[in-house]
Structures are given as C-alpha cells and as structure tokens.
C-alpha cells in the first residue's frame, strides 16, 4: 500500500449571504483551532466576519508533536526548532502542510472559484504558513495577509522569490509594537525583505498592541479583503 492520502482538514465555515464568488482561508495561530479563531474574531466584532459574496474557511491544523512545547502535541501548521527569526525552518513539516492546504484551495477551484478570487492569510504561525503557501506554491492567488507573523531570516520563501519572474500576490501585514512573542522588528524585517524581492507589501503598525488582534485591525483587514475580492458585477449577455 502507498502512502495514505492526508485526511481532509477539519474546518469551520462562514457562508456568504448571497452568491458565492470568492473565498478566504484564515489560518489560526499555534495551539488554536479553526473554530477558536472564528470565535475570537466574532467576539471582537460582536458578530462573525461575514460578506455578501465571500465564503470564509477556518481550517484546523492537525495535532502534531511541537518542539517549542517539548514535543507535546499541539494544533500547529508546522514544527519549529524554536520561536526565533534566526534559526533554520523546519521545512519538511512546512512542505507537507503546504500539500494539505493545496487540497483545500483545489476544493474551492472545483467549486468554480478562480484562484485570483481566493485570499489566504492568518494570525501568527497561520500568517507564516500562508506566506509559504502563496509565495512558494500559489503565486496566482488574490492576496495574502499576515497578522503578528514573521518569516525566518533564511526562509525558503525568500529563496523562491529570488528566482521568481511572475507577478506576485499583494501582502497585507499588521503587527503590534508591544508584541512580546513575535517581535515587531521580526514582522518589519519580513516586510522589508519581501518588498525587496518584488512583493507589493503594506505594514500596518498598532502601538501598544501585544500578540493579539483588535477591532481596528480586523476592520482594516475587512476593507482590504473587499478591495482584493470585490463583488462581481453580473455579466450582461
């Protein structure tokens, strides 16, 4: 018997109110779940983040041994040797999760959603995962967002972009200056590095915000989402 196909990722879905013409994949931070990320945003906004035409998918990372937690099982998108920006990436686990998330993108494409109508992003580790997925394997997506996220200094993302010629998805980044887990300087350095490699990237700075989300940030994100995935006007025959 060959390798079993990876099990489909569990997901929590917010359906569009009207006709589904675009999709957004939101990747939670380490140790969370899709349900948890959705509930967190809902609590901040006092309602689900929802759109007329965009389906929002909150997948859950499978549980795996996580080195920063001394090998305890955690819902993480990939493993890390430690949480720092100048250590090597755990590339095997990153690449295997890129395959699982590619299945999720392909499901949307099978549902008739063009790749340039799909956005991917996330919080903390979820944003890091999204940058790997989009900039290394899916450069035709509509855009990427990374909230309180970073890439390691020698990231495979940078290596891939050094060889790249094609147009790249725009990056929307947010980071709190008081973040004690993922330092603001790591996010800033990631932003500068991606810009130098041809990514159109913005960085929104939130003074006094720690490793968390706030309402202003989510409202800004929502405006950007609608700008990248506008409602399609029906074609007149």
């Amino acid at each position: 018997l060959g390798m079993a196909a990876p099990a489909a990722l569990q997901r929590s879905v917010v359906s569009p109110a009207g006709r589904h013409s675009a999709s957004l994949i939101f990747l939670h931070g380490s140790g969370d779940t899709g349900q948890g990320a959705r509930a967190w945003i809902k609590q901040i906004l006092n309602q689900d983040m929802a759109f007329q035409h965009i389906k929002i998918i909150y997948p859950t990372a499978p549980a795996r041994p996580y080195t920063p937690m001394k090998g305890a099982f955690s819902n993480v998108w990939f493993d890390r040797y430690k949480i720092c920006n100048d250590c090597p990436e755990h590339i095997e686990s990153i690449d295997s999760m890129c395959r699982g998330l590619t299945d999720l993108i392909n499901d949307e494409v099978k549902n008739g959603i063009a790749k340039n109508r799909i956005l991917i992003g996330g919080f903390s580790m979820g944003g890091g995962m999204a940058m790997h997925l989009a900039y290394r394997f899916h450069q035709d997506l509509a855009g990427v967002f990374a909230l309180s996220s970073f890439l390691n200094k020698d990231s495979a993302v940078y290596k891939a972009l050094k060889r790249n010629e094609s147009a790249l998805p725009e990056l929307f980044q947010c980071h709190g200056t008081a973040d004690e887990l993922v330092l603001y300087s790591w996010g800033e350095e990631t932003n500068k590095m991606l810009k130098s490699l041809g990514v159109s990237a913005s960085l929104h700075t939130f003074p006094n915000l720690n490793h968390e989300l706030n309402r202003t940030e989510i409202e800004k994100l929502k405006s950007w989402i609608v700008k990248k995935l506008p409602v399609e006007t029906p074609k007149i025959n």
Side-chain angles (χ1 to χ4, degrees), residues 60-79:
T60 296
R64 59 159 300 131
Y66 188 45
T67 303
M69 284 171 51
K70 298 186 168 50
F73 271 70
S74 186
N75 293 93
V76 288
W77 298 108
F78 49 86
D79 198 7

Side-chain angles (χ1 to χ4, degrees), residues 21-218:
S21 72
S23 295
L24 181 147
I25 298 168
F26 189 107
L27 305 179
H28 63 74
S30 56
D32 201 355
T33 61
Q35 206 92 32
R38 175 183 174 176
W40 188 20
I41 290 173
K42 188 172 182 172
Q43 181 198 338
I44 294 169
L45 294 177
N46 294 317
Q47 60 185 32
D48 263 316
M49 180 163 72
F51 300 90
Q52 193 58 32
H53 60 297
I54 306 168
K55 170 185 179 181
I56 306 182
I57 304 161
Y58 295 95
T60 296
R64 59 159 300 131
Y66 188 45
T67 303
M69 284 171 51
K70 298 186 168 50
F73 271 70
S74 186
N75 293 93
V76 288
W77 298 108
F78 49 86
D79 198 7
R80 285 185 171 131
Y81 297 106
K82 52 179 189 285
I83 300 173
C84 66
N85 73 337
D86 55 3
C87 54
E89 290 176 319
H90 195 287
I91 202 72
E92 301 82 355
S93 60
I94 292 173
D95 287 357
S96 97
M97 188 50 63
C98 281
R99 290 192 288 275
L101 288 165
T102 292
D103 291 344
L104 192 59
I105 292 170
N106 290 341
D107 283 349
E108 292 310 292
V109 173
K110 283 186 198 114
N111 287 332
I113 305 300
K115 279 182 77 182
N116 65 2
R117 296 283 292 165
I118 300 174
L119 278 179
I120 183 149
F123 176 73
S124 193
M125 175 186 258
M129 186 73 231
M131 290 187 277
H132 273 274
L133 189 65
Y135 293 120
R136 292 176 56 211
F137 301 104
H138 298 280
Q139 296 180 345
D140 47 354
L141 290 170
V144 185
F145 60 93
L147 315 173
S148 313
S149 306
F150 75 103
L151 291 170
N152 294 24
K153 284 184 198 293
D154 67 343
S155 177
V157 173
Y158 302 148
K159 296 187 183 103
L161 293 181
K162 284 194 174 105
R163 299 189 298 270
N164 175 66
E165 296 299 312
S166 61
L168 296 163
E170 185 187 321
L171 174 68
F172 177 93
Q173 231 182 312
C174 294
H175 216 115
T177 58
D179 196 326
E180 288 162 14
L181 185 68
V182 175
L183 302 185
Y184 176 78
S185 60
W186 300 357
E188 194 177 33
E189 200 173 299
T190 300
N191 190 272
K192 283 192 179 125
M193 193 68 188
L194 288 171
K195 268 191 179 139
S196 77
L197 292 165
V199 175
S200 161
S202 59
L203 175 59
H204 304 267
T205 302
F206 292 83
N208 310 322
L209 186 69
N210 201 323
H211 196 63
E212 58 196 339
L213 296 172
N214 72 12
R215 189 171 184 134
T216 317
E217 180 181 9
I218 296 170

